[in-house]
């Protein structure tokens, strides 16, 4: 085992009392340790990249402009780079960590010193990452996340492989309240795995990336028009030479290949195991990851079944803890993604992650209120008119027909979407399903609810409808639109401690028109 | 505390009005001027001025009208196991936060609130998107009492 001890004694260091419990003795490691010396290389590369990315307008001005003040611009860029080097060296010299009674303690900084202690009971998940540079240098990155924020709270960016495993073992043992286990691999039950054919299916159905590339191509063309009008003028003739149809085929094929390559890189040799109440996901081709999370920390499971996955009879399941981030309209990241789950196996796998989920998966869900369709149709008509107008203004002439076609298509999708929404509340769970093209089903344990909010805008109020938003730590679940009275009832009955409504309260006056 | 809907301190109505007036002067008037300039570039000065003035006038009406409605609609209820907070004029919201889920509670006094002797209470859970519940316009003592009551009733399983 490699150890990088702190050279000087720290006078502020506390001497912790010896622990009488022989079991806990095994997870005490009070020696302060530092990052691996090669962290200077491993960290400098990404930090330099970040610096370059941050100063690219300056560098671009220097490279393209050739202006008289280009030396000054280069000097500023060099200054930024120097700061990146300095922060990397400082990070290596000042970051120290240790594990005391399972608690990960970290300190860093020279002028602004920071001390951080992560209690094992608060750890939501841990992750070991090996990117290509780490692999080349024989290093790993350890990430420890709690529920407290949007960043990785415990980040040890470059440890030797043995040290990373040892540290992870200590933290896991502390979380589980036992000594480090050596035969976890033998006891582990494999819940899911993915071979190359699975990843091909997953990648081929995950073409959302295509939209990003299309936008990038569009922006590139705009930039080309601005930077080099002559080259821009040549683009149509180049496309003409290749042939429009061939270009389209090449573009779509390229998107497929990129999506598949992305899936293979991310989920290569994916396995999900469970042992001692802990989920472990191992995956990755160039960057290998091992994600561990306690089953008791799982906040939400989302089954993603877009139309393409339904066609191929499988789904993806995202498992989230409180460390997940919330984005617009839902969760933006998940700690563990199970890329391919055959449709028939979804219930059984969900039950391993969220107790009782198998009893409700596949059962009939309650539909949204019939009046909710009005809201969907209204939104679709407005959206369709906007899209149709934009197309008409852009292309002119015959394209104004989209002013009629776009709303009709949008309304059709709104109707499909409405038909496929559903929700159900059981003694233990809340299930909410949305979307036709991009179907998602959220499953959350009622024990995990943090708050419940009922929302009503003017249009919903007029139609006596309301939206219920259930928040768990790190995520939220939106139920389909319900009648106001039903939504009010849910606000009272979904909380962990259900109780009756006060006589003059919710049922009578809450959200009543003043 | 009794289990009755609690309303904001009466002086909060004037605080809301003052805040709305300041918002109108500092943000909506400059926005209206910007809108007028933008419209002028596409049409004439007169049309730009009319559009900008109309926008500013509508915002002024809203700034005069909304604060009272907002004050009337904001209320909270401490129940045995959770706190209910109801607010909103156009978009109405009713939030239930179980005490056991409360991570921490803040009281906050801005400059205007200090001048009125009022405070705002922010209730945070582990949902992690800022305060899950906010109650503005409380008398400072009431706000501190509410904060202490929420902290005292908290504890237990936080659902993490």
């Amino acid at each position: 085992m490699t150890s990088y001890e702190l050279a000087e004694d720290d006078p502020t260091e506390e001497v912790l009392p010896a622990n009488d419990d022989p079991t806990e003795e095994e997870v005490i490691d009070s020696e302060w340790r530092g990052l691996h010396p090669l962290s200077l290389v491993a960290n400098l590369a990404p930090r330099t990249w970040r610096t370059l990315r941050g100063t690219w307008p300056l560098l671009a001005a220097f490279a393209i402009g050739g202006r008289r003040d280009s030396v000054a611009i280069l000097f500023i860029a060099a200054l930024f780079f120097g700061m990146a080097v300095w922060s990397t060296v400082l990070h290596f010299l000042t970051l120290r960590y240790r594990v005391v009674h399972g608690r990960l303690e970290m300190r860093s900084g020279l002028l602004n010193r920071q001390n951080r202690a992560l209690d094992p009971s608060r750890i939501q998940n841990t992750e070991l990452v090996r990117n290509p540079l780490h692999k080349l240098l024989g290093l790993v990155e350890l990430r420890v996340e709690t529920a407290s924020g949007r960043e990785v709270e415990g980040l040890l960016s470059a440890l030797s492989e043995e040290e990373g495993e040892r540290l992870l073992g200590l933290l896991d043992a502390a979380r589980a309240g036992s000594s480090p286990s050596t035969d976890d691999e033998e006891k582990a039950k494999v819940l899911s795995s993915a071979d190359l054919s699975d990843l091909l299916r997953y990648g081929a159905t995950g073409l959302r990336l295509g939209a990003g590339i299309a936008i990038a191509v569009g922006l590139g063309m705009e930039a080309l028009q601005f930077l080099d009008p002559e080259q821009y003028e040549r683009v149509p003739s180049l496309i003409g030479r290749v042939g429009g149809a061939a270009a389209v085929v090449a573009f779509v094929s390229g998107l497929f290949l990129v999506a598949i390559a992305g899936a293979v890189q991310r989920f290569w040799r994916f396995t999900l195991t469970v042992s001692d109440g802990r989920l472990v996901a191992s995956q990755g081709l160039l960057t290998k990851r091992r994600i561990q999370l306690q089953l008791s920390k799982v906040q939400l499971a989302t089954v993603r079944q877009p139309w393409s996955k339904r066609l191929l009879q499988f789904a993806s399941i995202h498992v989230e803890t409180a460390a997940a981030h919330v984005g617009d309209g839902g969760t933006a990241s998940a700690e563990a993604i199970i890329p391919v789950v055959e449709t028939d196996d979804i219930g059984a796998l969900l039950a391993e992650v969220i107790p009782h989920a198998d009893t409700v998966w596949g059962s009939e869900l309650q539909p949204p209120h019939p009046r909710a369709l009005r809201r969907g149709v209204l939104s679709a008509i407005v959206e369709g008119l906007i899209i149709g107008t934009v197309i008409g203004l852009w292309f002119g002439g015959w394209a104004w027909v989209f002013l009629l076609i776009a709303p009709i298509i949008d309304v059709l999708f709104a109707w499909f979407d409405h038909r496929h929404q559903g929700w159900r509340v059981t003694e233990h769970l809340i299930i909410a399903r949305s979307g036709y093209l991009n179907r998602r089903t959220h499953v959350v344990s009622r024990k995990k609810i943090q708050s419940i909010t009922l929302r009503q805008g003017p249009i919903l109020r007029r139609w006596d409808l309301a939206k219920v938003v259930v928040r768990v730590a790190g995520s939220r679940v939106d139920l389909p639109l319900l009648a106001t009275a039903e939504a009010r009832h849910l606000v009272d009955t979904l909380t962990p401690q259900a109780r009756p409504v006060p006589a003059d309260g919710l049922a009578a006056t809450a959200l009543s028109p003043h | 505390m009794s289990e009755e809907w609690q309303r904001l301190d009466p002086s909060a109505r004037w605080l809301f009005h003052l805040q709305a007036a300041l918002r109108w002067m500092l943000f909506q008037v400059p926005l209206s001027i910007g809108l007028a300039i933008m419209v002028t570039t596409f049409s004439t000065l007169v049309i730009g001025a009319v559009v900008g003035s109309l926008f500013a006038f509508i915002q002024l009406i809203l700034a005069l009208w909304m604060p009272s409605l907002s004050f009337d609609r904001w209320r909270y209820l401490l129940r045995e196991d959770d706190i209910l907070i109801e607010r909103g004029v156009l978009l109405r919201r009713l939030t239930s936060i179980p005490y056991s889920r409360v991570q921490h509670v803040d009281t906050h006094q801005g400059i205007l609130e200090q001048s009125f002797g009022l405070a705002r209470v922010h209730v945070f859970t582990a949902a992690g998107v800022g305060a899950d519940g906010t109650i503005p316009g409380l008398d400072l003592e009431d706000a501190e009492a509410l904060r202490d009551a929420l902290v005292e009733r908290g504890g237990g399983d936080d659902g993490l």
Side-chain angles (χ1 to χ4, degrees), chain A residues 299 447-456 458 461 473-474 492 495 499 505-506 509-512 514, chain B residues 3 5 73 75 77 79 81 86 89-96 98 101 125-127 129 132 158-160:
Chain A
Q299 297 283 330
K447 287 192 296 186
K448 299 293 184 184
I449 293 172
Q450 293 290 328
S451 68
I452 303 163
T453 297
L454 184 155
R455 293 183 177 200
Q456 265 189 325
R461 205 153 50 238
D492 265 332
T495 47
R499 62 192 305 280
L506 283 172
T509 55
L511 299 170
S512 59
H514 285 267
Chain B
E3 211 172 89
W5 284 100
R73 298 261 162 77
R75 59 183 189 164
L77 172 64
R79 302 197 296 180
D81 302 310
E86 186 187 322
V89 179
L90 287 176
L91 178 63
R92 295 189 196 168
R93 279 170 288 185
L94 171 70
T95 300
S96 159
R101 302 310 199 223
T125 72
V129 285
D132 288 76
D158 63 1
L160 295 177

Side-chain angles (χ1 to χ4, degrees), chain A residues 3-217:
Chain A
S3 97
Y4 310 100
E5 293 181 23
L6 186 61
E8 76 281 2
D9 289 327
D10 181 359
T12 62
E13 188 176 328
E14 278 185 47
V15 179
L16 291 161
N19 195 314
D20 293 328
D21 184 350
T23 309
E24 287 192 25
E25 288 279 4
E26 296 177 32
V27 294
I28 295 175
D29 177 22
S30 59
E31 192 178 87
W32 285 103
R33 294 162 188 265
L35 296 177
H36 194 286
L38 286 173
S39 74
L40 289 171
V41 180
N43 287 340
L44 191 58
R47 276 172 196 250
T48 304
W49 168 243
R50 279 200 295 272
T51 305
L52 287 174
R53 207 173 49 187
T55 57
W56 75 265
L58 287 172
L59 297 174
F62 172 71
I64 298 168
R67 289 153 50 185
R68 280 190 301 173
D69 58 352
S70 55
V71 174
I73 293 170
L74 193 63
F75 173 76
I76 293 169
L79 192 68
F80 276 105
F81 180 70
M83 285 166 65
V85 173
W86 168 242
S87 70
T88 305
V89 173
L90 193 67
H91 183 70
F92 167 71
L93 290 176
T94 62
L95 184 99
R96 294 292 180 269
Y97 67 91
R98 66 179 180 180
V99 178
V100 181
H101 301 297
R103 192 174 64 223
L104 176 63
E105 295 184 356
M106 298 168 64
R107 65 184 193 200
S108 62
L110 190 64
L111 297 175
N112 293 313
R113 291 191 178 179
Q114 184 186 49
N115 283 281
R116 179 173 282 179
L118 301 177
D119 190 83
S121 65
R122 298 298 184 215
I123 293 174
Q124 295 292 323
N125 61 62
T126 55
E127 188 175 1
L128 270 185
V129 181
R130 289 183 182 89
N131 66 29
L133 194 59
H134 284 128
K135 276 193 273 190
L136 192 71
L137 301 172
L139 301 174
V140 290
E141 180 176 284
L142 177 65
R143 299 174 180 181
V144 181
E145 286 189 271
T146 70
S148 66
R150 288 168 180 265
E151 60 169 8
V152 178
E153 285 78 15
L155 178 64
L156 297 171
S157 53
L159 304 171
S160 68
E161 291 181 355
E162 315 87 76
E163 175 65 0
E165 294 286 353
R166 187 193 70 85
L167 206 50
L168 195 62
L170 284 173
L171 294 175
D172 278 343
R175 290 162 76 191
S178 63
S179 55
S181 173
T182 53
D183 58 351
D184 272 359
E185 297 296 328
E186 291 170 19
K187 286 191 293 178
K189 172 185 167 189
V190 177
L191 293 181
S192 177
S193 61
D195 58 24
L196 185 59
S197 65
D198 291 330
L199 296 184
L200 293 179
R201 279 198 290 167
Y202 178 78
T205 55
L207 272 181
R208 187 173 287 185
L209 181 66
I213 292 174
I215 291 168
V217 169

Side-chain angles (χ1 to χ4, degrees), chain A residues 23 72 188 206 245 292 404 481:
Chain A
T23 309
Q292 299 188 185
L404 184 67
L481 292 177

